[in-house]
Amino acid sequence: MQIYNTLTRRKETFTPAEPGKVRMYVCGPTVYDAAHMGHARSAVVFDVVYRHLMSKGFQVTYVRNFTDVDDKIIRRARDLGRDYSEIAGRYIREFHEDMDALGVLRPTHEPRATEHIGDIIELIKVLVDKGNAYVAGGDVYFRVRAFPDYGKLSGRNLEDMEAGARVEVDEKKQDPFDFALWKASKPDEPKWDSPWGPGRPGWHIECSAMGRAHLGETFDIHGGGKDLIFPHHENEIAQSEAAFGRPFARFWIHNGFVNIDQEKMSKSLGNFRTVREVLAGHHPEAIRMFLLSKHYRSPVDFSADAMSEASGALERVYSCLLRIRESVDVEVPAGRDAGDFQDRFIQAMDDDFNTAGALGVVFEAVRHANRLLDQDPAAHAAELASIHALIRRAGGELGMFTLPPADFFHAAKKAAGLDPEEIERLIQKRNAARKAKDFATADAIRDQLKEQGVILEDAPGKTTWKPA
RNA sequence: GGCGGCAUAGCCAAGUGGUAAGGCAGCGGUCUGCAAAACCGUUAUACCCCGGUUCAAAUCCGGGUGCCGCCUCCA
């Protein structure tokens, strides 16, 4: 399979360092506020990476950290008059709730920075001993100039960046690009004892330390949002490679941003969408459909229209699933495979996790199944069962199409806040009118229901309904 | 100023050398009492513009235009 590697800026054939086993590290959230759609995208994208690698038979060790001590958490805690650990704990809990709701599998390990202070201190010691870091006051800084490869991930060099001159001046630093490994704590800030006095870790060092603790010194895959390429991942490389003298991550994967109505989602614009808000109005799988309908490296634009389109697409698949289950016995082992849909689905996924292309294959399968259903379901029972199996298997990798179709539609009805009994009563009344050829009354009832947001679908012998 | 990315039909979106997936919407049809759903057909002589390489380019190379991101906390 091919994976686009940020480090080389091209697709490369992926093979893990140790055959059969994949070590993957993804940067998780700093837990100081509710998770937003950007967090959801990153989590869902790497969830799919994780699922697909497992489907290839790899034994995947997936680590995603929580940054649970940092300036923003401390500030938030102070604003609310709480302890920083209480804030972090609360948002970790919420993050889990949100991601569970989205069907994101829990990683193998979810280390928190504060659980690895010892590892972090050990790592900083190594860097100081090697001359890659220096102590200044109670702080410790990484000496960027001592690491010749600095900039290799983001394609920058120090001289070019200096021209930009948007670097904060700090008299403690020997060089403006040096970054903190350890920060001396101010009064009332969380602190841990260290050889350099009481303090807390800088942001970048935790990933190097936790990654090593759980995955060793070289990972197969390291991922995160595009915005982390510089400086975060660049700094991780510098720390880890300077300390261990070996390549840090072999493949770097970065997901694109979520925009809101064509604007960058940002606090200052006030256009943040939290996962909770979106979940309140949309089915979780519709959110995944929206996110996975585009390639993971491209920006996606979140909007009401985009979400309803995704919902419609999801419904199309579930409708098909429902039709198949009502027509044939899908539990019968598939007698024949579903044409080349299966192969093409895997091919798309193997090509740098092309979920948009893979979904295209699913929709082709859906149309094919609908066609068979329109013709003669019984005659195509085996093929329909195999398409049903294909869609479910594809869904297993994408984290969609996982519910019994009837449950999916039932949930939609419930979410629409309609009264099923009243609707059923009207449907019966209408069908009685239809039988009596009183179409004026029948149509009036249908129009009335439509106004309430109910769409009727007449099938031979029975009428079903769904929310608009 | 430096680095990187993107530009495909009305909209969303795959496709990275061999002649344009898929979704939504539209139009024509089948089905239906009429609709809805589903299916069939149709909808880009063509992939921002200009050059070049090639038997062959949306796909590679050069130049241009437009948009976006990173360089400060950020998924």
Side-chain angles (χ1 to χ4, degrees):
Chain A
M1 64 184 286
Q2 301 279 113
I3 296 180
Y4 180 88
N5 189 349
T6 307
L7 193 58
T8 55
R9 290 183 198 78
R10 56 167 188 242
K11 283 185 197 171
E12 296 175 0
T13 300
F14 175 77
T15 46
E18 183 182 342
K21 293 189 177 175
V22 176
R23 301 170 218 279
M24 175 162 92
Y25 187 99
V26 174
C27 288
T30 298
V31 280
Y32 73 105
D33 205 350
H36 59 245
M37 286 300 288
H39 295 111
R41 185 177 196 195
S42 180
V44 168
V45 163
F46 288 102
D47 182 51
V48 169
V49 169
Y50 181 41
R51 288 168 185 256
H52 187 241
L53 288 170
M54 288 193 290
S55 85
K56 305 289 290 178
F58 291 116
Q59 186 189 318
V60 186
T61 306
Y62 173 22
V63 177
R64 185 186 60 207
N65 69 296
F66 284 112
T67 298
D68 65 345
V69 57
D70 122 304
D71 290 345
K72 291 189 295 294
I73 299 170
I74 293 168
R75 195 184 319 129
R76 186 74 195 261
R78 188 171 299 150
D79 291 349
L80 297 174
R82 304 281 177 179
D83 188 70
Y84 86 95
S85 60
E86 190 184 332
I87 300 299
R90 173 185 156 193
Y91 287 113
I92 286 173
R93 206 159 46 242
E94 283 195 15
F95 185 83
H96 276 144
E97 287 168 11
D98 292 347
M99 295 310 142
D100 289 351
L102 284 176
V104 173
L105 300 176
R106 296 280 180 108
T108 319
H109 303 289
E110 296 184 277
R112 307 173 189 191
T114 57
E115 295 167 346
H116 286 270
I117 301 293
D119 293 324
I120 290 170
I121 289 172
E122 285 309 307
L123 180 53
I124 297 174
K125 270 190 198 162
V126 171
L127 289 168
V128 172
D129 289 347
K130 284 194 168 186
N132 285 287
Y134 56 92
V135 182
D139 298 342
V140 182
Y141 293 97
F142 186 88
R143 185 176 279 130
V144 168
R145 304 262 173 198
F147 185 71
D149 275 351
Y150 195 78
K152 70 177 175 184
L153 179 68
S154 55
R156 295 153 204 266
N157 63 68
L158 297 172
E159 288 64 37
D160 289 342
M161 284 194 290
E162 262 167 337
R166 263 167 82 181
V167 181
E168 63 181 282
V169 184
D170 185 334
E171 63 283 356
K172 284 188 196 161
K173 294 183 186 178
Q174 293 175 3
D175 185 286
F177 293 106
D178 291 348
F179 55 88
L181 299 173
W182 188 259
K183 295 177 170 183
S185 291
K186 298 178 191 112
D188 299 331
E189 282 186 352
K191 53 169 108 31
W192 287 265
D193 287 330
S194 83
W196 317 286
R200 57 193 169 93
W203 175 34
H204 314 295
I205 196 69
E206 62 174 70
C207 291
S208 289
M210 290 189 279
R212 190 209 189 191
H214 291 280
L215 298 173
E217 294 176 356
T218 299
F219 322 157
D220 294 300
I221 294 173
H222 191 135
K226 259 190 163 70
D227 50 342
L228 297 181
I229 295 171
F230 190 90
H232 185 53
H233 289 162
E234 197 69 74
N235 291 354
E236 283 186 44
I237 291 175
Q239 295 160 346
S240 292
E241 297 193 354
F244 310 136
R246 338 180 12 163
F248 180 43
R250 301 170 58 241
F251 286 79
W252 287 88
I253 302 180
H254 292 98
N255 66 274
F257 289 121
V258 176
N259 296 138
I260 304 281
D261 291 324
Q262 301 173 55
E263 271 188 316
K264 182 185 167 161
M265 186 168 71
S266 75
K267 297 240 165 177
S268 53
L269 285 168
N271 62 352
F272 255 69
R273 286 303 128 76
T274 64
V275 174
R276 291 194 164 209
E277 283 168 353
V278 180
L279 234 19
H282 300 278
H283 189 97
E285 291 192 5
I287 298 175
R288 290 182 77 108
M289 177 65 83
F290 161 70
L291 258 9
L292 298 174
S293 295
K294 292 92 184 167
H295 189 92
Y296 76 86
R297 280 186 276 119
S298 310
V300 300
D301 193 47
F302 180 88
S303 65
D305 282 355
M307 276 310 302
S308 63
E309 207 175 280
S311 300
L314 182 66
E315 220 173 86
R316 179 167 162 79
V317 177
Y318 269 114
S319 296
C320 178
L321 250 18
L322 185 64
R323 281 185 78 191
I324 294 176
R325 289 169 77 107
E326 285 176 342
S327 306
V328 305
D329 182 0
V330 295
E331 301 309 325
V332 169
R336 45 176 293 195
D337 70 31
D340 60 352
F341 294 128
Q342 174 82 14
D343 290 343
R344 291 201 293 132
F345 177 84
I346 294 169
Q347 246 171 45
M349 293 299 289
D350 277 350
D351 181 11
D352 195 29
F353 311 103
N354 185 352
T355 53
L359 278 167
V361 176
V362 170
F363 283 109
E364 285 183 55
V366 165
R367 189 178 38 179
H368 185 66
N370 279 329
R371 195 183 300 145
L372 299 179
L373 255 1
D374 277 0
Q375 290 164 4
D376 185 355
H380 301 288
E383 190 171 4
L384 286 166
S386 77
I387 289 176
H388 179 91
L390 157 81
I391 293 172
R392 290 230 102 111
R393 206 170 319 159
E397 284 197 33
L398 300 171
M400 291 191 274
F401 327 135
T402 59
L403 300 166
D407 290 2
F408 172 81
F409 289 108
H410 183 71
K413 290 173 182 176
K414 215 173 153 188
L418 298 162
D419 178 356
E421 283 180 23
E422 172 65 7
I423 293 166
E424 281 305 330
R425 202 182 59 75
L426 287 167
I427 286 174
Q428 282 184 18
K429 199 176 158 194
R430 171 171 169 271
N431 281 154
R434 288 172 73 205
K435 211 162 193 174
K437 305 251 187 254
D438 178 5
F439 298 120
T441 302
D443 291 352
I445 294 170
R446 186 171 62 198
D447 291 345
Q448 180 197 336
L449 281 168
K450 191 175 179 184
E451 238 163 81
Q452 292 172 23
V454 176
I455 304 286
L456 297 186
E457 292 178 6
D458 293 328
K462 77 171 180 193
T463 298
T464 58
W465 64 276
K466 62 175 188 181

